[in-house]
Amino acid sequence: MGRDQQADQPFCEVYTLGLVPYADAWNLQKSWVSRHRQSPQPDRLLLVEHPPVYTLGQGSTTENLKFLESNPPHPLFRIERGGEVTHHCPGQLVGYPILDLKRHQTDLHWYLRQLEEVVIQTLATLGIHATRQPGLTGVWVGDTKLAAIGIKVSRWITMHGFALNVCPDLAGFEAIIPCGIADKAVGSVAQFCPGITVAEVVPLVKQSFSEVFSLRLVEAPHPE
């Protein structure tokens, strides 16, 4: 795409903040969503890693926890997104798009497939052939899940998003049944690209996100 074409594209602010406590990123998302209800806002993309944490979807069961809810090995949050329990930790790149789908398509299935496509295209640039699995959300290589997706959409404003396992310690997943799927493995990009880092993957995700959503990404300063 030429420079003139890029300039004509709608823009999206991107915030690349490194390691951020889960509660801080969650509160930032809620603040941005709230602003959309008050006045027009740009689309935004937050890219972070988290210290070890578990999150439960709004309607998820605690039966997928292998620990007592009252005594988790890492902080445990019940949040607004759909889906079951998942784990975040350093080495996992988490993307939280705050998009107004009225500017894109007001279709939740389309949006989920777009998020999967961002990850699939990112992995393709690394020579990894990733796919979808029928009836399941996320991105897979065979029966190994490399990326989880869980969203919340209110008045067509999105929050939460995708988590791509780049080079995390996967041991934390052993304390849960990830996404409620007991018969499939959780893997990482590092299993296919030894030595890879989150810093190397961030620009690839930005490029894929820009192309999939037809948005011109604008690097933004640290949010207030």
Side-chain angles (χ1 to χ4, degrees):
M1 180 179 294
R3 189 170 297 175
D4 291 342
Q5 288 175 290
Q6 286 184 325
D8 291 338
Q9 281 186 312
F11 76 93
C12 174
E13 295 179 351
V14 58
Y15 297 80
T16 309
L17 302 187
L19 191 67
V20 176
Y22 187 84
D24 292 355
W26 187 20
N27 287 332
L28 181 56
Q29 291 181 75
K30 289 186 283 189
S31 171
W32 282 342
V33 169
S34 177
R35 290 187 199 179
H36 272 277
R37 296 183 182 133
Q38 298 164 16
S39 63
Q41 297 289 313
D43 286 338
R44 295 183 172 100
L45 173 63
L46 175 62
L47 293 172
V48 296
E49 296 174 71
H50 292 308
V53 65
Y54 295 100
T55 68
L56 292 162
Q58 192 166 25
S60 62
T61 175
T62 56
E63 293 176 5
N64 292 316
L65 305 180
K66 298 180 183 179
F67 52 80
L68 292 175
E69 187 176 6
S70 60
N71 188 29
H74 301 296
L76 176 67
F77 294 87
R78 186 174 288 276
I79 59 176
E80 308 93 336
R81 65 164 173 80
E84 294 291 334
V85 64
T86 196
H87 176 54
H88 301 302
C89 61
Q92 180 193 75
L93 178 60
V94 186
Y96 297 122
I98 311 298
L99 306 182
D100 184 347
L101 291 185
K102 295 189 293 294
R103 299 173 185 153
H104 301 275
Q105 286 194 39
T106 51
D107 183 327
L108 299 188
H109 293 288
W110 172 86
Y111 179 58
L112 287 167
R113 301 295 82 79
Q114 293 292 94
L115 292 182
E116 290 168 345
E117 188 63 23
V118 169
V119 177
I120 288 169
Q121 289 192 16
T122 298
L123 295 176
T125 63
L126 295 168
I128 300 171
H129 178 62
T131 61
R132 301 172 176 87
Q133 287 242 0
L136 298 173
T137 300
V139 176
W140 310 72
V141 175
D143 281 340
T144 300
K145 190 173 189 178
L146 266 59
I149 293 174
I151 64 170
K152 167 70 175 178
V153 179
S154 175
R155 301 179 186 176
W156 298 114
I157 307 301
T158 71
M159 64 184 295
H160 301 295
F162 61 88
L164 173 60
N165 295 329
V166 178
C167 53
D169 179 354
L170 296 174
F173 287 96
E174 296 173 4
I176 59 174
I177 300 174
C179 302
I181 304 170
D183 60 344
K184 299 185 188 300
V186 172
S188 69
V189 178
Q191 292 172 249
F192 304 90
C193 302
I196 196 163
T197 65
V198 170
E200 292 173 88
V201 174
V202 164
L204 305 181
V205 166
K206 290 179 181 178
Q207 181 65 29
S208 296
F209 189 89
S210 173
E211 293 175 358
V212 168
F213 284 98
S214 298
L215 288 168
R216 176 171 52 90
L217 298 190
V218 177
E219 298 289 337
H222 197 287
E224 296 178 1

